[in-house]
Each structure stands twice: as C-alpha cells, then as structure tokens.
Amino acid sequence: MPCERKPMRYGHSEGHTEVCFDDTGRFIVTCGNDGDVRIWESLDDDDPKFITVGEKAYSLALKNGKLVTASSNNTVQIHTFPDGDPDGILTRFTTNATHVTFNSIGSRVAAGSSDFMVKVVEVSDSSQQKTLRGHEAPVLSVTFDPKDDFLASASCDGSVVVWNIEEQTQVISWPLLQKSNDVTNAKSLCRLAWQPGMGKFLAVPVETKVHLYERGSWDHVSTLSDDLLTQPINVVSWSPCGRFLAAGSVGGLLTVWDVNSKLCVERQKHEKGFTVCSLAWHPSGSQIAYTDTEGCLGLLDGLGTSTQVAAKKPAKDYDDLFDDDDDRLMDEGLSDTKSPAKKAVGWDDDDDDFLVPATGRVKNRGAFLDDENSLDTGSLKLGQDKFGDNNDDAGSSVAPAAPPVAPLRPVYEGPMPTPPQKAFQPGSSPAHLTHRFMMWNFVGIVRGYNDEQDNAIDVEFHDTAVHHAMHLTNSLGHTMADLSQEGVLLACPSTEELASKLQCLHFSSWDTNKEWMVDLPKGEDARALCLGQGWAAVATSTLMIRLFSIGGVQRELFSLPGPVVCMAGHGEQLLVVYHRATGFDGEQALGVQLLQFSRKKRQLISGEPLPLSQKSYLSWLGFTAEGTPCYVDSNGMVRMLNRSLGNTWTPVCNTRETCKSKSDHYWVVGVHENPQQLRCIPCKGSRYPPTLPRPAVAILPFKLPLCQTTTEKGQMEEQFWRSVLFHNHYSFLSSSGYEIDEDAQNLSQKEQQELLMKMFALSCKLEREFRCVELAEMMTQNVVTLAIRYASRSRRMALAQRLSEIALEKSNQMQEEEQEEPEYSSTRRTSSGQPRVTNILDNMMSSKKSAQLSSSGGKPSKSPVLKPLAPKPKTKVPCAESVFKQGSISRCLCAFRPKTGFQLWLEENRKSILADNPDLEETDVIKEAMGRFRTLSTEERLPSTCKDSLKFYVGVHNLQFS
C-alpha cells in the first residue's frame, strides 16, 4: 500500500530550507532564507510559532530541548525549545556556517563552514572545541558517528572525509564528488547520514546513487540506485530503526530503500518537480517531512504500513513493487543483479576508467552492472557478512538470506586498485577555485580570476628588469600556465565547438610579433605544459608530448608509456612524470623520464619508478635554481636527484616536521642548492594558499634523514653528505659545457674536507682507527697528509703508517690522471649579458644558433668565448721504494712534500722581488730571495697556504704542538 503524499504548503521565502522533527515527533521545525525558524504543530498549522535568528538561516538541528541554528552572521546559535529563548553562541566562523548537526545523545554539535573548517563543540561548555582542518573548499555537510568516535564531512573540494574526533585527524578520504568553488554552485548538497544504532554504514549520495561504506574497514560495500533517478541526489536520511534509507534528489524525486534487500520500497515525486533540499523522519518512522528550494514544506504519511508490507513480501513478489519498465534483464545470460558479493571488489560505474580485474583482462561492464533493484538470493547469502550480523542491537536488522539457488561466484579479497591522481601543473592551486595561482616559480607569479566581474590572467615578475607586469583577458578559458625568462605559455581544454589551444606570449622576441597560438588536433587535450630555454613542451590526452621552439616552430614529438601527471623544464632539461601502471592499496605507480636537449639529445632517466612515501601522491615537481630535478609528495617529503649515485633520489627535507598542526602544510615554490634553501608558503589548515592577501614565503632548512643526528658524529655525517649532494651540480654543469663558479666549488670542497678532518679527529679520540682509515679514503692528498700529522702527534704510529700508504696511492693516482688529462678542454659556454635573474642557468646562453636568434632587444649576440682550462701543475712524486727506505714517519712526510718552504715562499714573492729589481737574472733573483728569506721569522717563512692549514690543524680539538 503506497504512502500518502500530502499537499505542500508555503513555509519560508524562496531559497534553501531545512526541516526536522523534535524528539517526541509533536512538532515540525523548519528554517529558511527569511531568517526565521518556524515551529509547526502539523502540516495544517496556519499560525506556527516563529523565532528570528538572523538575516538568513542556513541550517538547524534539534535535540534535548536545544535548538541550534547556523545564521548569516557567521555564528552558530543555540535557543531553548519550544520557548525560543536565546541561550548563547556556540561558535563563530570567518564566513557563514553551512550545516549543523547533533551527536546521538545531544552533548555535541558539529558545524561545517565556508571557510573550509569543521568544528565540534560541547553544548554544556562551548569553550571546549575541536577544529578539523584539511578540506580545501567550503564544507557541504557533517554527520556524527552514533558511537561518537568519528565524524564524516563532505566538501566542495570533491572529497568525503572521515575524521577521528579526539585525535582531530583524517581517517580516510574518498574523492567522490564533483568539485565546485562554493556551496551555492555545488551540484549536490551531499547531506551525509550515518546509520542509527551501531552506525554500521555511512550513506553518501554520489550523483544518482547512494554509496554505503562500512564503519571500521571503510570499504564500499553496497550501492543503492533506482532507474527513475536521473538527477543527482541532494540529501539522504535513515529511518529511526536503521533499516530504511530515504533520499531526495535535485529533480524532486523521493525514494525509500530497504537496505537489507537493496529494494526500492517507495517512490514519490515532488508535485512541481522542485529540488528537495532537506528530509526528516518522524521518530515513529511513519512520516517523512521534506522541504524544497522554493521554501515549501511537504509530508509523506503512512510509510510504516508500506515499508512493513514490502519487507514481508516473498522474493518472488518483489517485481510487483516496480513499474514494467524496471523488469529488464540482461541478454548475456548473466545474473540480473549487482549484489554485494559482486560489489565487494569495489568496482562501480565511476571506476571504469582505471580499474582492471586481477585476471589482467579489461572487465566486462555488463558482468557487473544491471538492474540494481532486482534480487539475487545467492548473492545476498554470499554478502551476508557485509550487511548484517546476528546481533539484534546492532542497529541494522538483516533478515536471514534464502539458500542459494545457483553456484556462488568467488569473491576477490586481494589488494584494491588505487584511483590514479589527475594531471596537474606544479606551482598551481586547484582549477575549480575562482581566484587561484596558475603558476608560482623562480621567475614570477601567474594568477587566474574567474568570477562574475572578470575572467582574466595577471602575470607578475619577481624581477621587473625581466618584463613589466601584464594583465591578459582570458577569453579562451586557459586553465594551465608556465612562466620563464622568455615567455608565458598558456593552454585551454577543448569544448564542443573549439579545439584545445596552446598560446605563447614570447616577450623576449626582438621582432614585433610576440604571440603565437597552435590548435591541437581534434580529440586531443592539453594535460600539462612547461617552458625551457628556447623550447616549449605540452603533454596531451593521447599520451603524447609535443615540442615547440620558443618562436612557435614545431619540433620533435614522442609518446609516453602512460597518462601524464606533470612536467617541468629547466634550461635544456625536460622532466616528465606519468602513470606507468595501476597502483594498489593507496599507492601510486609513477614513472619518470629526464631528457636533455643539448647538441647530442639524450635521455638521462628512462622510465624509472618514482619513489613516493607510503599512500601518498605527487604534489610538486621541478628543478632547483641550479638545475637539479627534485619533487615533493603529499606527505611533505622533498627528494632530490643524486647524479653521483646512479641518478637515485635522496630525501633532503620533511616539511611535516615543521608543521604545528596535522592539517597544516607547506606549498613549495622553489628550491636552491647554494645557498641551501627550500622556499615555500605555510598554509594553515589547507594545502594551498589564498591569492589575497599575497602570501609570505618562508625558508625551510634541509636535513638528510640520517641516523642519530642528535650526536656529534651524526651531525657531522649529515652535514658532510648534504654538502656533497648539494654541490653535485658543479660537475653536471661543467660536463654540460657551462661555466661554473670555481671559487664556490673550491669553497664547498674545503668545507667537505674540514668535516672529514673533524670526523677523523673524533674517531681518533674514540680509538676507532679502522673508521679513521675509511674517512681518509674520502680525503684529498693534502688533508691525508694533515691526518698523518694528527695521528703521529696522537702517538698512533700504526694508523699513521696506514695513512701514509693511502697518501702514496692518492699521489700515484693524481700523477696518472694528470698525464692522461688533455692540455686543453672543450669549449665552454659563457653568460651573454642578460638582465639579473635568480635562476643560474638563465644567465648562461648556449653557443647554438637558436640562442643567438632569441637574444633580446634586437642586438646581435656575441660569439661564444673560448675559455680553455689551464693545465694543472705536475709535481714529482717519489716512488714507493724510496719512501719506505726512510727510517721514520717524519722522513716519510718529508718525502711527500713536493717543494721546500723556500721554494713555496719564492713562488709567492717572486713578483714583488722583480718589481723592486726588474733587471735581475734568474740566478740573482734566487740570491736576493735567499737573503730576504734568512731575515724572516719561522712563522713568516711559511707560505699562506701552509699558514691556513696550520691554523686549521691547530683548531682541530685544540691540539698544541710541542
């Protein structure tokens, strides 16, 4: 017997309206856009009592004589019920609250807001609050776990999150919804509902279906749907007994399911087809009150009878509940159901794009999807563990399933596929935001605005000498951008009428035409883009990367092994990350390629797996200012390419260690190796910063995750290997033909050798002589000689003897290398006088013709400067036999000294002697020098290099020479 739909009546002015029953079921309580809360004794009450709570009332909740409302003054207020007396303000937000709800016993109130936050407040003491941060867009709805352990929330960022209330942490997050920038623009309100009683299931409206997630395991165990539902479901509500679930849709359809059998037991249509925005069950379960977006109130009566009859009908009569149109069966001869057993794998309509069954074959969609309202008793039997138990108090009474009528299909219980992360631009915030960063890098900032007043792009440069700020009209709807010293690259997706376009503003061009545009082929969309020195690249939806010159000439193109995730460019290097396979159990399976577009184009990294933290995804990809690839994952771990260790990835910083709260994050905008700086923006309670006011950039230090870094030994080891890693770029730049700062390179080597000597001294103090020899292997010959002296003064003769052997080996190696080294090296590139910039490679122009053509200002560029490398001075090294014929360590040390103190002093002072006596011959110069040398004190006779070594040697552990 169907229920009775009462005629609707006017309740509030046009706009969002909410409804609930009081604990006894005597009153119907509504709130609306007029700012009033109305208390109805029945649907026919022509003079309801009202309470004015503000200019607008967005949500209400009622429990234990306490009425809580979210009003337009950004507060959550509490009133007595039914008197309506104000009882204080529970909490405040920076913007309006969007949804409020009580827990099962009425001791707590949860409220979600448009400022991305969720607050849990104690009703008895409003100072006791817990704030849940982590959503990246306004909150749509909140609901309490009946056991008061968890809280679920839905947001405009597309996620549904389950929180641990006490720990204020996310338990799990599902990306289920369509993203939007505000509640008013959301496709659905996504009002979540937790099953009463034991709270076994969490109901989540997703498009035209309701997903049921099991508490504890958080598995997607079932989906409720109906063929007549063609519009998104807005709100769901459980019956007091927890067996039935009601849903109201945007199209005005009201549907009630029996959760045990997954059958639709009641359908009603809004009399005018308006959107249903709120539902509430009567405490007896016999009525459902509902409201629409026009401010009207309606009632379904007699539900108790219809639901009881539906539940008692035998399986053979289930088809009578549906229209004739619902009696379709599959032609393939498969079962006409989507049972819990088949859904245990976690596949649904939305997963068809990336899920593949364990057999390795593409799954047959028809094998899993059919009329979801039909019944398969065998499947119900197989899924009994998912949908109920024998405990009558569990809040979900499940009827015993009938014996199976067909052989049961096996249930897959292996690892579950992970949804692949979508393509993104490093240094950009999400595209669904109206005001967002399209790019923030070393060169400048690109902001995008897409609101009612304007759709534009602003480009701002950190150094105005590069170019002045630009304001661009975004008529094509560009969603991606990159910025370099030479131009701005933009891309937009395709539409039904227009193809996806790539647009470049080449502001460093010397001619008058500084803009070019390319249409991608039909059916091909831009997914990622980047700029390098003289080139541009775009990755498309057809698993292809297209290269262009900065002037618009099409260059090479090549295919990727999987869908692109993101790209980054620097100088002649292109770094690409893509999906190499399907990940499982929350892991992403990403691959990385690193290409170099020099004269000899080569692939430095070819499809190697990209390491990520457990259950994380890639959040930033780029290069350091010196040209070393690096990236950041969602757990805050920063990794850098170690070229000296076979192109492996080394973790260099964990940004989570400096976050004060678990919901805080750092948004990386740049990495520097010299000085060692991680430039990022702190984001409180979010992953992305707001565009206004302009966020401040913070600088974080690097720290390798070595063991025992609290000890003196661990600290020196961390400093040494960090110095080695962060100065690898010198050898790479030199081998690539760039001129490097030799003074900075020598300074870094000196720092490393000092650290080695300090660790050597510490090991000697701890009587770790074998460790001393290991450290000496990494020293240069001069520092090994210093270590020999230290060992001799410490009376460790055996150690000194071993160190002398190492010094001899290093001397022989150096002599061999010098003999093999050519007198002059290959031509090196030099800087071309571009404006001062932050990026190192931006000052270094290649000698290629393309670099000459792209020089700014229309001036012809100078030819590359040939700067040969000066040959290193060769020194005589005594043979091993002559060394070991000496009788003592001191004689051994003298044998290693390539020149006497007088010879070293003469080399430093020869110019001054010749300046005083320009006519002297070489013999006379030596005589004059010997005369001056005899008048000097012992310390003055030492050359400057020996003085520095002596000062450092004396400083190591405050040694004093006798």
Side-chain angles (χ1 to χ4, degrees):
M1 173 180 176
C3 66
E4 179 185 0
R5 187 190 71 195
K6 301 285 188 181
M8 300 196 71
R9 65 165 301 155
Y10 172 81
H12 298 270
S13 59
E14 180 182 350
H16 178 76
T17 313
E18 289 208 358
V19 63
C20 68
F21 283 95
D22 71 328
D23 296 334
T24 63
R26 178 183 173 188
F27 299 105
I28 303 174
V29 185
T30 61
C31 71
N33 233 22
D34 51 14
D36 290 341
V37 173
R38 301 187 186 274
I39 304 173
W40 312 75
E41 293 188 0
S42 67
L43 192 64
D44 301 327
D45 187 358
D46 293 328
D47 188 19
K49 181 180 179 180
F50 69 92
I51 307 167
T52 301
V53 296
E55 185 178 345
K56 292 183 179 181
Y58 296 107
S59 181
L60 85 166
L62 180 59
K63 198 84 171 178
N64 298 340
K66 299 288 186 180
L67 175 65
V68 173
T69 55
S71 58
S72 55
N73 57 1
N74 304 343
T75 62
V76 176
Q77 307 175 47
I78 188 167
H79 292 76
T80 61
F81 185 85
D83 299 331
D85 298 327
D87 199 14
I89 295 176
L90 277 181
T91 188
R92 297 178 185 272
F93 293 93
T94 56
T95 59
N96 59 283
T98 55
H99 191 220
V100 294
T101 186
F102 273 102
N103 63 354
S104 57
I105 60 175
S107 61
R108 285 175 170 178
V109 170
S113 169
S114 291
D115 62 5
F116 309 178
M117 289 195 298
V118 177
K119 291 185 179 181
V120 179
V121 189
E122 297 289 339
V123 176
S124 59
D125 183 5
S126 60
S127 63
Q128 301 295 320
Q129 297 189 12
K130 296 183 185 297
T131 303
L132 308 178
R133 295 184 175 92
H135 281 301
E136 300 167 4
V139 179
L140 290 170
S141 69
V142 290
T143 182
F144 273 105
D145 162 30
K147 293 184 178 180
D148 219 18
D149 296 330
F150 304 107
L151 183 135
S153 62
S155 169
C156 292
D157 61 12
S159 66
V160 175
V161 178
V162 177
W163 309 81
N164 185 305
I165 299 175
E166 295 304 321
E167 298 178 3
Q168 302 180 50
T169 58
Q170 291 188 9
V171 178
I172 193 169
S173 176
W174 299 293
L176 299 174
L177 313 177
Q178 184 173 329
K179 294 182 179 180
S180 60
N181 55 15
D182 191 58
V183 177
T184 56
N185 299 328
K187 196 173 181 181
S188 164
L189 292 177
C190 193
R191 291 292 198 244
L192 310 174
W194 222 306
Q195 188 180 30
M198 297 299 291
K200 186 160 188 172
F201 298 127
L202 172 64
V204 182
V206 181
E207 296 293 336
T208 60
K209 302 177 182 179
V210 180
H211 291 188
L212 297 183
Y213 291 87
E214 187 177 35
R215 186 185 190 276
S217 68
W218 310 116
D219 292 333
H220 175 203
V221 295
S222 182
T223 300
L224 304 177
S225 66
D226 184 51
D227 287 345
L228 297 184
L229 279 170
T230 57
Q231 300 274 4
I233 296 176
N234 224 14
V235 57
V236 294
S237 179
W238 290 90
S239 64
C241 66
R243 178 170 182 177
F244 300 100
L245 184 70
S249 74
V250 173
L253 190 65
L254 295 162
T255 311
V256 181
W257 288 278
D258 183 338
V259 178
N260 295 338
S261 61
K262 294 174 55 179
L263 295 174
C264 177
V265 297
E266 188 64 58
R267 292 190 192 92
Q268 290 289 341
K269 181 73 175 177
H270 188 288
E271 59 186 39
K272 294 184 179 180
F274 293 151
T275 296
V276 177
C277 54
S278 183
L279 285 177
W281 284 81
H282 191 276
S284 66
S286 60
Q287 293 180 334
I288 292 180
Y290 60 97
T291 53
D292 59 26
T293 52
E294 297 297 315
C296 296
L297 171 65
L299 191 69
L300 299 181
D301 198 6
L303 281 166
T305 305
S306 62
T307 53
Q308 290 173 9
V309 171
K312 291 180 180 179
K313 280 193 175 184
K316 63 181 181 180
D317 294 331
Y318 280 160
D319 292 338
D320 297 337
L321 294 171
F322 300 91
D323 299 332
D324 294 336
D325 295 336
D326 297 327
D327 293 333
R328 298 168 298 172
L329 295 177
M330 298 174 62
D331 297 331
E332 292 83 359
L334 299 173
S335 173
D336 58 331
T337 183
K338 185 166 71 174
S339 67
K342 297 169 188 173
K343 287 298 291 181
V345 187
W347 294 334
D348 55 30
D349 292 354
D350 300 332
D351 298 339
D352 287 340
D353 294 335
F354 60 89
L355 293 185
V356 177
T359 59
R361 297 189 295 261
V362 178
K363 64 183 180 183
N364 179 6
R365 182 184 179 96
F368 296 93
L369 306 179
D370 194 17
D371 183 4
E372 296 177 349
N373 300 311
S374 57
L375 182 67
D376 184 340
T377 54
S379 298
L380 284 176
K381 175 67 175 180
L382 187 60
Q384 186 171 350
D385 294 338
K386 289 286 185 183
F387 287 86
D389 48 36
N390 296 327
N391 186 0
D392 294 337
D393 299 330
S396 174
S397 55
V398 180
V405 297
L408 301 182
R409 297 183 182 180
V411 178
Y412 175 73
E413 296 180 353
M416 302 304 300
T418 303
Q421 74 172 105
K422 297 180 180 179
F424 70 98
Q425 279 293 106
S428 67
S429 48
H432 67 271
L433 301 175
T434 54
H435 292 188
R436 57 182 289 252
F437 292 109
M438 299 180 71
M439 177 54 61
W440 187 320
N441 60 14
F442 292 116
V443 182
I445 305 171
V446 181
R447 293 184 180 89
Y449 304 93
N450 184 13
D451 50 28
E452 297 177 356
Q453 288 80 20
D454 195 10
N455 187 1
I457 296 174
D458 286 343
V459 183
E460 173 188 343
F461 295 88
H462 299 315
D463 186 357
T464 54
V466 177
H467 199 272
H468 59 78
M470 295 185 291
H471 180 81
L472 310 173
T473 302
N474 191 11
S475 57
L476 295 175
H478 292 302
T479 58
M480 290 172 281
D482 197 11
L483 181 64
S484 73
Q485 297 287 333
E486 299 173 312
V488 182
L489 189 64
L490 303 168
C492 63
S494 62
T495 62
E496 294 181 358
E497 298 83 11
L498 301 175
S500 179
K501 297 180 183 294
L502 186 70
Q503 182 179 6
C504 180
L505 303 176
H506 182 203
F507 50 74
S508 68
S509 174
W510 49 264
D511 63 8
T512 56
N513 296 320
K514 299 182 182 297
E515 180 179 342
W516 55 269
M517 187 181 300
V518 171
D519 286 357
L520 296 181
K522 186 177 181 181
E524 189 172 343
D525 271 359
R527 291 285 186 260
L529 52 83
C530 66
L531 282 168
Q533 184 175 308
W535 55 269
V538 56
T540 68
S541 56
T542 57
L543 308 185
M544 190 181 299
I545 290 184
R546 299 178 178 272
L547 299 178
F548 300 84
S549 71
I550 192 64
V553 179
Q554 296 191 62
R555 291 177 50 181
E556 300 89 347
L557 72 162
F558 59 95
S559 295
L560 283 176
V564 69
V565 176
C566 60
M567 295 195 308
H570 185 280
E572 296 174 338
Q573 300 180 84
L574 171 63
L575 186 64
V576 186
V577 174
Y578 57 89
H579 290 286
R580 60 183 178 87
T582 299
F584 287 87
D585 287 342
E587 306 288 348
Q588 297 286 336
L590 304 181
V592 59
Q593 288 186 2
L594 178 61
L595 296 93
Q596 187 173 4
F597 302 137
S598 55
R599 289 183 177 179
K600 294 183 179 179
K601 298 179 177 63
R602 54 180 179 155
Q603 194 169 28
L604 303 179
I605 301 178
S606 177
E608 299 295 329
L610 188 72
L612 295 174
S613 303
Q614 286 188 346
K615 299 187 184 303
S616 67
Y617 55 88
L618 187 64
S619 61
W620 185 84
L621 179 78
F623 290 85
T624 65
E626 292 76 13
T628 304
C630 54
Y631 65 94
V632 187
D633 61 34
S634 57
N635 288 358
M637 185 62 71
V638 184
R639 292 178 176 86
M640 182 181 294
L641 185 68
N642 190 348
R643 300 184 193 270
S644 63
L645 195 62
N647 286 336
T648 54
W649 299 94
T650 301
V652 295
C653 180
N654 187 358
T655 61
R656 298 296 303 164
E657 292 180 353
T658 56
C659 292
K660 296 181 180 179
S661 171
K662 292 184 178 181
S663 59
D664 295 345
H665 297 85
Y666 282 97
W667 195 61
V668 177
V669 296
V671 183
H672 290 261
E673 293 180 78
N674 189 21
Q676 297 178 15
Q677 292 180 351
L678 177 65
R679 301 175 64 84
C680 49
I681 297 173
C683 303
K684 190 170 182 61
S686 176
R687 286 189 177 271
Y688 305 98
T691 55
L692 293 174
R694 177 171 177 167
V697 178
I699 296 177
L700 297 183
F702 291 101
K703 183 179 179 181
L704 302 185
L706 267 61
C707 302
Q708 296 180 329
T709 52
T710 56
T711 64
E712 185 179 5
K713 170 179 173 290
Q715 290 174 1
M716 288 190 290
E717 289 171 340
E718 190 275 334
Q719 292 175 19
F720 171 75
W721 288 112
R722 175 156 47 87
S723 177
V724 170
L725 176 64
F726 278 81
H727 293 98
N728 281 338
H729 64 276
Y730 286 120
S731 59
F732 172 75
L733 293 177
S734 178
S735 64
S736 299
Y738 289 101
E739 188 181 63
I740 61 175
D741 187 351
E742 294 183 357
D743 293 337
Q745 185 180 20
N746 294 334
L747 188 63
S748 67
Q749 293 176 352
K750 179 182 177 183
E751 175 191 359
Q752 295 164 17
Q753 296 302 313
E754 287 181 359
L755 287 167
L756 285 173
M757 192 60 206
K758 288 180 181 179
M759 289 189 283
F760 179 88
L762 179 63
S763 299
C764 281
K765 183 179 179 181
L766 298 176
E767 299 182 354
R768 297 279 187 176
E769 295 189 4
F770 189 89
R771 185 181 297 168
C772 292
V773 175
E774 292 177 327
L775 292 169
E777 294 284 355
M778 296 183 284
M779 296 177 181
T780 60
Q781 181 190 358
N782 293 335
V783 181
V784 172
T785 304
L786 189 62
I788 295 174
R789 291 183 180 180
Y790 186 96
S792 301
R793 296 293 183 182
S794 303
R795 304 183 185 278
R796 302 183 184 277
M797 308 311 292
L799 175 60
Q801 181 67 33
R802 289 186 178 274
L803 294 178
S804 66
E805 297 173 3
I806 294 175
L808 181 60
E809 291 177 5
K810 290 183 177 291
S811 299
N812 292 333
Q813 291 175 3
M814 183 180 297
Q815 187 178 22
E816 293 173 0
E817 291 174 359
E818 289 176 350
Q819 291 175 353
E820 295 174 359
E821 182 179 344
E823 190 167 329
Y824 292 97
S825 69
S826 59
T827 302
R828 295 197 169 200
R829 302 171 193 167
T830 59
S831 58
S832 62
Q834 284 188 344
R836 178 182 59 84
V837 289
T838 306
N839 203 329
I840 287 179
L841 288 188
D842 294 326
N843 278 340
M844 304 178 183
M845 293 297 294
S846 171
S847 60
K848 297 180 293 185
K849 292 182 179 180
S850 61
Q852 297 176 6
L853 291 175
S854 61
S855 60
S856 60
K859 298 180 181 179
S861 60
K862 298 180 181 179
S863 61
V865 180
L866 301 179
K867 186 178 180 182
L869 291 178
K872 298 182 180 178
K874 299 181 179 179
T875 58
K876 279 191 175 183
V877 182
C879 63
E881 183 180 358
S882 64
V883 170
F884 287 104
K885 283 182 180 179
Q886 309 297 328
S888 64
I889 299 296
S890 61
R891 290 178 184 175
C892 176
L893 291 173
C894 294
F896 284 112
R897 187 174 301 133
K899 294 183 180 180
T900 64
F902 171 71
Q903 290 174 325
L904 295 173
W905 182 88
L906 177 59
E907 287 183 356
E908 289 190 354
N909 297 276
R910 180 185 293 273
K911 291 183 179 179
S912 62
I913 295 174
L914 290 174
D916 297 338
N917 304 283
D919 299 330
L920 293 179
E921 298 293 336
E922 180 65 22
T923 307
D924 298 330
V925 170
I926 294 176
K927 289 181 180 179
E928 176 68 20
M930 292 183 68
R932 294 188 185 186
F933 188 74
R934 289 192 185 99
T935 62
L936 300 176
S937 63
T938 304
E939 185 176 351
E940 291 174 339
R941 290 180 180 183
L942 290 175
S944 59
T945 56
C946 294
K947 291 178 184 178
D948 294 340
S949 299
L950 181 60
K951 290 178 182 178
F952 172 65
Y953 172 62
V954 173
V956 176
H957 280 253
N958 299 321
L959 289 179
Q960 296 182 0
F961 296 98
S962 58

